[in-house]
Amino acid sequence: MKNIFDATVLNGLTLKNRVWRSATWEALADDEGNLTQPLLDIYAELAAGGVGAIITGITTISDHDALLDGIVQFHSDRFIDQHRDLTALVHEHDCKIFLQAAIVNPRYEHVEEVPQLFVEAAIRAKAAGYDGVQLHAAHGFFLSQFIEYDRGKILGDVLDEIRAELGRDYPIIAKINGENCLDACRVMVEHGIDAIEISGDYTSREARAHFNEGYFRHYAVGASAFDVPIILVGGHRSIEEMNRLLITTPIEYLSMSRALIREPSLLNRWADGDIRPSACVGCNACYRTPGHKCIFNLRRR
């Protein structure tokens, strides 16, 4: 019977539990896209807090991309050393970390370069000590808009070229909107994806403990028909509901964001026997604070 604290193996990578920190926008890089100490502190705290794996915040891999304020950049080898510092901090706590690689601009004009950009990002990620890479194909960014009319072919091309360069044993996962996932999931599975995180239009969803948890589950269950581990994000707040999802569906992993903004050490607390649910109420006020901090935590300072 599955449990959130099961150790698992994903393409040779041992994960100490089934819970991931889903990519979370922090907007804390400097003007040149470099990691900053506040960013390093966030990841160190998360890793110490007990999650099995962390997916970084969105990271642009093209120097032609439109840039969001505070976005981390990873389009040059000059970024490798600072990211090696980040992965080392996370690995101190037996936690794995994946780079979320993305092209932000949905009107990106250099389409022919896209597969090679992801190959180069994966090579840099491996050199920097990342345990794997997540292809960001959700939330309106370039890959998600492109797959709406090519049915995921571009993802197959990206995967083929990464595998040709790095081989089959480097973990590659993807994040995709559940609303348009089935064709793209089929293509990714055919081309060797290791896991798929199912997301969607998250800003309009309300969730709290025992209410509407796992609100993308119907998409995730549908995607589970393919022979690939599914990671489900969306409103997880209580250990009881998370375990129920694992037991009653084929979903293999669960990912969290806002609950870990409220309490980065939530998994450690649960592991120690205090299974009260997350206090996160899903108010989304964290989106409007510097570094996307929980307003309730800020008020206590």
Side-chain angles (χ1 to χ4, degrees):
M1 187 177 296
K2 290 182 292 184
N3 182 283
I4 65 168
F5 291 111
D6 294 336
T8 64
V9 178
L10 180 71
N11 190 7
L13 183 69
T14 299
L15 302 170
K16 66 183 179 183
N17 60 50
R18 295 183 184 270
V19 181
W20 300 60
R21 195 297 291 257
S22 191
T24 303
W25 175 238
E26 294 107 354
L28 288 174
D30 69 16
D31 291 342
E32 296 181 347
N34 297 302
L35 300 175
T36 59
Q37 191 60 50
L39 264 175
L40 294 176
D41 291 344
I42 286 172
Y43 288 114
E45 185 177 31
L46 282 164
V51 292
I54 294 169
I55 303 169
T56 69
I58 186 171
T59 302
T60 180
I61 60 170
S62 171
D63 59 358
H64 298 307
D65 207 357
L67 299 181
L68 305 173
D69 288 343
I71 194 170
V72 174
Q73 300 179 44
F74 201 60
H75 52 71
S76 166
D77 288 354
R78 73 177 179 85
F79 294 105
I80 290 175
D81 284 345
Q82 59 186 266
H83 284 259
R84 190 177 287 126
D85 292 340
L86 167 58
T87 61
L89 281 173
V90 170
H91 289 153
E92 288 179 6
H93 301 282
D94 188 27
C95 181
K96 303 303 190 290
I97 183 165
F98 280 54
L99 177 81
Q100 188 184 72
I103 295 173
V104 175
N105 186 1
R107 296 174 299 279
Y108 187 80
E109 296 176 356
H110 304 271
V111 176
E112 70 283 353
E113 300 177 1
V114 166
Q116 184 60 29
L117 289 174
F118 281 95
V119 170
E120 293 169 1
I123 292 170
R124 290 188 195 105
K126 188 173 183 180
Y130 284 102
D131 299 290
V133 169
Q134 183 182 69
L135 311 178
H136 194 350
H139 301 167
F141 297 116
F142 175 79
L143 286 179
S144 69
Q145 294 218 354
F146 205 87
I147 63 176
E148 289 181 13
Y149 66 87
D150 84 341
R151 294 176 178 263
K153 180 182 180 300
I154 193 170
L155 292 171
D157 293 342
V158 168
L159 284 163
D160 284 349
E161 297 204 22
I162 293 175
R163 295 302 187 201
E165 185 66 38
L166 292 182
R168 184 62 188 82
D169 60 353
Y170 190 61
I172 306 294
I173 67 175
K175 185 170 192 171
I176 192 165
N177 286 350
E179 295 90 339
N180 57 5
C181 75
L182 293 184
D183 286 334
C185 286
R186 183 180 297 107
V187 170
M188 288 190 287
V189 170
E190 290 172 352
H191 291 264
I193 198 74
D194 291 304
I196 300 172
E197 184 182 24
I198 302 297
S199 185
D201 179 16
Y202 58 94
T203 56
S204 64
R205 308 285 177 154
E206 180 184 358
R208 56 185 181 272
H210 308 294
F211 172 77
N212 204 26
E213 294 192 50
Y215 41 67
F216 298 127
R217 71 179 70 193
H218 54 294
Y219 297 131
V221 170
S224 296
F226 302 102
D227 187 19
V228 66
I230 296 298
I231 307 167
L232 173 62
V233 71
H236 305 305
R237 297 290 185 269
S238 69
I239 191 171
E240 296 92 346
E241 295 299 326
M242 293 169 74
N243 279 332
R244 186 174 293 115
L245 271 170
L246 291 172
I247 292 167
T248 60
T249 75
I251 295 165
E252 292 290 332
Y253 298 101
L254 303 169
S255 56
M256 310 174 78
S257 175
R258 286 174 292 175
L260 294 173
I261 292 174
R262 179 70 187 265
E263 188 178 354
S265 60
L266 179 62
L267 268 292
N268 279 348
R269 173 163 69 77
W270 284 348
D272 289 340
D274 180 351
I275 61 170
R276 289 173 297 142
S278 167
C280 177
V281 296
C283 66
N284 293 334
C286 51
Y287 296 155
R288 299 186 293 275
T289 66
H292 290 183
K293 300 289 188 180
C294 175
I295 60 168
F296 297 99
N297 294 343
L298 292 173
R299 288 171 181 172
R300 289 200 297 264
R301 292 181 179 177

